[in-house]
Amino acid sequence: DIQMTQSPSTLSASVGDRVTITCRASQSISSWLAWYQQKPGKAPKLLIYKASSLESGVPSRFSGSGSGTEFTLTISSLQPDDFATYYCQQYNSFWTFGQGTKVEIK
Amino acid sequence: EVQLVESGGGLVKPGGSLRLSCAASGFTFSSYSMNWVRQAPGKGLEWVSSISSSSSYIYYADSVKGRFTISRDNAKNSLYLQMNSLRAEDTAVYYCARDQDRLGFDPWGQGTLVTVSS
C-alpha cells in the first residue's frame, strides 16, 4: 500500500502570507496526485489534480508542483476564505489520502 | 447542476447493518466510476470503496473488505454501500464522490453520518 505523509500537520499563518504544504509518497506515484480543501462540516473540494493542474473555478493563488514522491501545494497570498484543512490524495495505485494539514489564523 | 446526495445514515448497534444510498444528478452517471470515502469524527479522510462505471471492477479498503459491499444501479442513477457487521470504528461521515478518471474526485456529496454504538 502507498502511504501519504503531509507536513506540517498544522500551520499558523496570516492573511497575505505565502503558504506551502508538502506531501510525500512512500513510493513513486508519477503525477497522480490531487489536493483537496475541506472546511468544518463540509465536503472536501477538489483544488488540484495530476499534481499541478488547477481545477476549474479554483483561484489562481493555488498551485501544485512535484512528481515521483514529493509534492507541494502553495497558496501565493493567503486569503480569509483559505483557512481550512488540506488533504493530498494519491491515485496511482488505488487511493490514499494524507493525514491533512490544518491552516489556521496566526 | 452536478450533484450527489447521500442518505441512509443513522445510529446502529455493533454487529448491525446499514445501507447507504447516493443519488446522482446533472451528469451521465453510467459513464463514471464512483467511490465511497469516510471521515471519522475529528479525523482525516479514508477511501472505502470504488466501483467502475459498469460494475466490472470493484475495490475495497482492507478495513472494510468482507463486511461492506458497493453496488450501483445506472438506470436509477444511484450508488449504494451495504454495510454489515458494523463496528464502533466504522463511525464516520460517509461521502460518495465521482471519480473523474485520473482527474481527482469531484464532486462530493454532503455526507451522511453513521454512528455505531450500543
Side-chain angles (χ1 to χ4, degrees):
Chain A
D1 291 6
I2 298 176
Q3 310 301 319
M4 305 301 292
T5 304
Q6 286 182 235
S7 60
S9 296
T10 306
L11 188 159
S12 297
S14 302
V15 172
D17 285 354
R18 181 181 181 88
V19 165
T20 298
I21 299 169
T22 298
C23 180
R24 288 186 173 86
S26 59
Q27 63 190 74
S28 178
I29 58 170
S30 185
S31 295
W32 303 120
L33 185 104
W35 290 96
Y36 300 86
Q37 176 194 67
Q38 187 181 35
K39 296 181 179 178
K42 300 295 187 182
K45 173 189 172 185
L46 177 66
L47 300 175
I48 302 280
Y49 61 90
K50 217 156 65 173
S52 61
S53 296
L54 194 67
E55 175 72 353
S56 177
V58 174
S60 58
R61 62 180 180 272
F62 291 92
S63 64
S65 65
S67 66
T69 61
E70 188 149 338
F71 303 85
T72 59
L73 173 70
T74 300
I75 309 172
S76 60
S77 178
L78 198 65
Q79 298 302 301
D81 191 49
D82 302 337
F83 292 98
T85 300
Y86 294 84
Y87 294 92
C88 63
Q89 176 206 32
Q90 71 81 19
Y91 51 96
N92 179 71
S93 175
F94 300 103
W95 303 266
T96 316
F97 292 91
Q99 81 278 17
T101 295
K102 183 178 181 180
V103 177
E104 59 182 26
I105 300 172
K106 191 172 185 178
Chain B
E1 179 193 3
V2 176
Q3 193 172 14
L4 298 171
V5 178
E6 302 95 337
S7 60
L11 175 63
V12 61
K13 289 182 168 54
S17 298
L18 211 55
R19 188 196 197 204
L20 305 183
S21 299
C22 171
S25 60
F27 66 100
T28 305
F29 180 73
S30 59
S31 296
Y32 291 88
S33 294
M34 297 294 296
N35 297 269
W36 289 99
V37 177
R38 69 183 180 183
Q39 186 169 37
K43 303 297 184 181
L45 301 170
E46 179 188 16
W47 169 77
V48 172
S49 183
S50 175
I51 185 168
S52 63
S53 57
S54 60
S55 304
S56 298
Y57 301 97
I58 288 175
Y59 306 101
Y60 298 99
D62 287 344
S63 57
V64 306
K65 202 173 293 183
R67 301 187 298 122
F68 289 11
T69 302
I70 192 172
S71 63
R72 64 191 295 162
D73 186 336
N74 287 341
K76 294 183 178 180
N77 291 338
S78 293
L79 174 72
Y80 306 102
L81 187 67
Q82 177 66 44
M83 304 186 295
N84 298 331
S85 303
L86 282 162
R87 306 166 180 167
E89 54 265 37
D90 295 318
T91 294
V93 173
Y94 285 74
Y95 296 100
C96 62
R98 183 179 71 173
D99 189 333
Q100 297 197 118
D101 191 19
R102 295 292 193 173
L103 302 181
F105 287 4
D106 184 76
W108 297 57
Q110 85 287 354
T112 187
L113 176 63
V114 173
T115 303
V116 184
S117 174
S118 55

